[in-house]
């Protein structure tokens, strides 16, 4: 259920002020320290950002997809690592539980996820499994724990797991049968403190400093039967539903980053002078700004239209893939033009443009590469008959 317009407008205003006055001044510090300050994380908790997509009955804000997309656009106007800090709680880390969890599972976990007391992660990718997500090798085999209770014994390694270094709860996709492809995959809620669960050192990355990714290892970890999400063999379907929503959220963030870059370019071009006048008056600079603005407007319209369709109950598998594909490719082009408009300054760290240039590169890879989105778009188009 959507918030009333006045309440939602107040939320947007609060987030916009938080981004501009609190987060943007910290961007260089986060890049250097590779971490989000603890007091900022606490402020995010108090604002309800960890529970944007979780129902009010569990302590969240219960935003619709259209409302969540607008919030994501606002959050995109700063370093993406800030949003990523709570992004797994809002999206891929919690939505499997929201979509497929039992009443007991939801009551146990969702209130603490919404408050930010628990950080969640989504564990699908493996060392040998990326885009071919139906081929997971991590296994969950029925067995007994030390007290003789029925459990799944979970063994395997997950790779590049966002927020793994801080996560208290993992949604893990593991193979429970030898059925081919996704049909043999099931989903599990795996607490970090289970015996046999360990997290590796965070990886060094190209961009999005402050948002950590790491391996998660499972060595015969005893997962209670009650922690399975859905029935055996439903894990792949759950994962795809989660990613449909996550892709739309990421597309909205891409729009926000592009809008930030355009604003920075316009401000710089109005001040920087060459050949006796501001570079904003040179037509080739104007052309780059015009292209960036047009593409950003198109992406914004696609995201918001798709979000509204999802809220209406429409199947948006194709449209979510298209939004993520177009918006992530678009923001890469906008970032590249921004470096060009800033010239030498765009290549220097002080201006922050090169940082955003590095940050946005990941959008074309995670939650499904651009090439995977193309496959989904083509498949769904043919399925619908064009």
């Amino acid at each position: 259920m959507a918030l009333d317009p006045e309440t939602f407008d107040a939320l947007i205003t609060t987030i916009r002020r938080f981004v501009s006055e609190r987060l943007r001044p910290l961007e260089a510090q986060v890049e250097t320290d590779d971490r989000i300050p603890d007091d900022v994380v606490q402020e995010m908790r108090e604002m309800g950002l960890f529970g944007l997509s979780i129902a009010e009955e569990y302590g969240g804000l219960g935003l619709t997809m259209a409302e969540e997309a607008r919030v994501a656009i606002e959050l995109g106007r700063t370093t993406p690592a800030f949003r990523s800090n709570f992004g797994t709680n809002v999206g891929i880390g919690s939505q499997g539980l929201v979509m497929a969890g039992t009443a007991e599972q939801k009551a146990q976990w969702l209130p603490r996820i919404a408050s930010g007391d628990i950080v969640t992660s989504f564990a699908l990718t493996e060392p040998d499994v990326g885009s071919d997500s139906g081929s997971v090798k991590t296994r969950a085999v029925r067995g007994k724990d030390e007290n003789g209770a029925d459990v799944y014994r979970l063994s395997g390694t997950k790779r590049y797991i966002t927020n793994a270094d801080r996560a208290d709860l993992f949604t893990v996709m593991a193979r429970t049968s030898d059925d081919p492809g996704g049909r043999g995959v099931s989903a599990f809620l795996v607490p970090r403190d289970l015996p046999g669960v360990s997290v590796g050192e965070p990886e060094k990355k190209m961009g999005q400093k402050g948002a950590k990714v790491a391996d998660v290892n499972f060595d015969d970890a005893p997962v209670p039967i009650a922690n399975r999400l859905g029935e055996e063999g439903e894990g792949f379907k759950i994962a795809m539903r989660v990613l449909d929503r996550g892709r739309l959220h990421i597309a909205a963030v891409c729009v926000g980053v592009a809008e930030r870059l355009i604003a920075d370019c316009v401000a710089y071009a109005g001040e920087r002078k060459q050949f006796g006048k501001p570079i904003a008056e040179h037509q080739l600079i104007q052309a780059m700004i015009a292209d960036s603005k047009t593409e950003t407007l198109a992406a914004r319209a696609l995201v918001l239209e798709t979000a509204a369709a999802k809220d209406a109950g429409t199947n948006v598998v194709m449209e979510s893939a298209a939004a993520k594909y177009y918006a992530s490719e678009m923001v890469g082009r906008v970032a590249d033009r921004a470096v060009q408009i800033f010239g030498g300054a765009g290549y220097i760290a002080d201006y922050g443009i090169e940082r955003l240039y590095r940050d946005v590169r990941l959008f074309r890879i995670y939650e499904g590469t651009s090439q995977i989105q193309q496959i989904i778009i083509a498949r769904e188009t043919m399925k619908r008959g064009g």
Side-chain angles (χ1 to χ4, degrees), residues 6 13 16 78 106 114 118 140 163 168 171 174-175 177 251 253 259 261 275 321 335 338 355 364:
E6 185 176 345
T13 298
R16 187 173 294 162
T78 185
K106 292 178 180 180
I118 283 178
N163 286 338
D168 306 288
T171 299
R175 188 162 296 283
S177 79
V253 175
E259 291 181 349
L261 285 164
F275 303 102
R355 182 186 66 245
R364 289 146 64 186

Side-chain angles (χ1 to χ4, degrees), residues 162-224:
T162 303
N163 286 338
D165 62 310
R166 304 184 301 118
D168 306 288
L169 182 68
F170 299 95
T171 299
V172 181
M173 301 299 150
R175 188 162 296 283
T176 49
S177 79
D178 293 326
D179 290 345
R183 286 180 294 174
V185 176
S186 301
F188 299 90
L189 297 171
V190 182
R192 183 195 190 99
D193 60 3
L194 277 186
V197 178
S198 61
V199 178
E201 288 296 314
E203 303 281 359
K204 294 181 179 180
K205 311 193 311 315
M206 176 191 295
Q208 298 204 20
K209 300 297 179 63
K212 305 294 181 64
V213 300
D215 284 2
V216 184
N217 303 299
F218 306 99
D219 183 11
D220 211 30
V223 180

Side-chain angles (χ1 to χ4, degrees), residues 18-19 23-24 26-28 30-31 34-36 40 44 49 71-88 90 162-163 166 205-213 249-261 264 328 331-332 335 352-364 366-367:
F18 181 62
V19 168
L23 301 186
R24 287 189 59 163
L26 293 172
E27 290 175 347
V30 169
E31 174 76 9
D34 197 14
R35 65 183 298 272
I36 309 297
V40 173
M44 291 175 175
L49 296 183
V71 168
I73 289 172
E74 296 297 330
L75 293 166
R77 296 194 176 108
T78 185
T79 296
F82 286 117
R83 182 217 59 91
S84 188
N85 188 266
F86 57 83
T88 48
V90 171
T162 303
N163 286 338
R166 304 184 301 118
K205 311 193 311 315
M206 176 191 295
Q208 298 204 20
K209 300 297 179 63
K212 305 294 181 64
V213 300
H249 181 103
I250 293 300
V253 175
C254 291
V255 172
V257 177
E259 291 181 349
R260 152 74 182 277
L261 285 164
D264 288 353
S328 62
V331 75
I353 298 299
E354 63 85 28
R355 182 186 66 245
L356 289 172
Y357 179 84
R358 288 183 285 109
D359 287 344
V360 302
R361 186 60 184 85
L362 182 59
F363 291 137
R364 289 146 64 186
Y366 70 176
E367 302 207 24

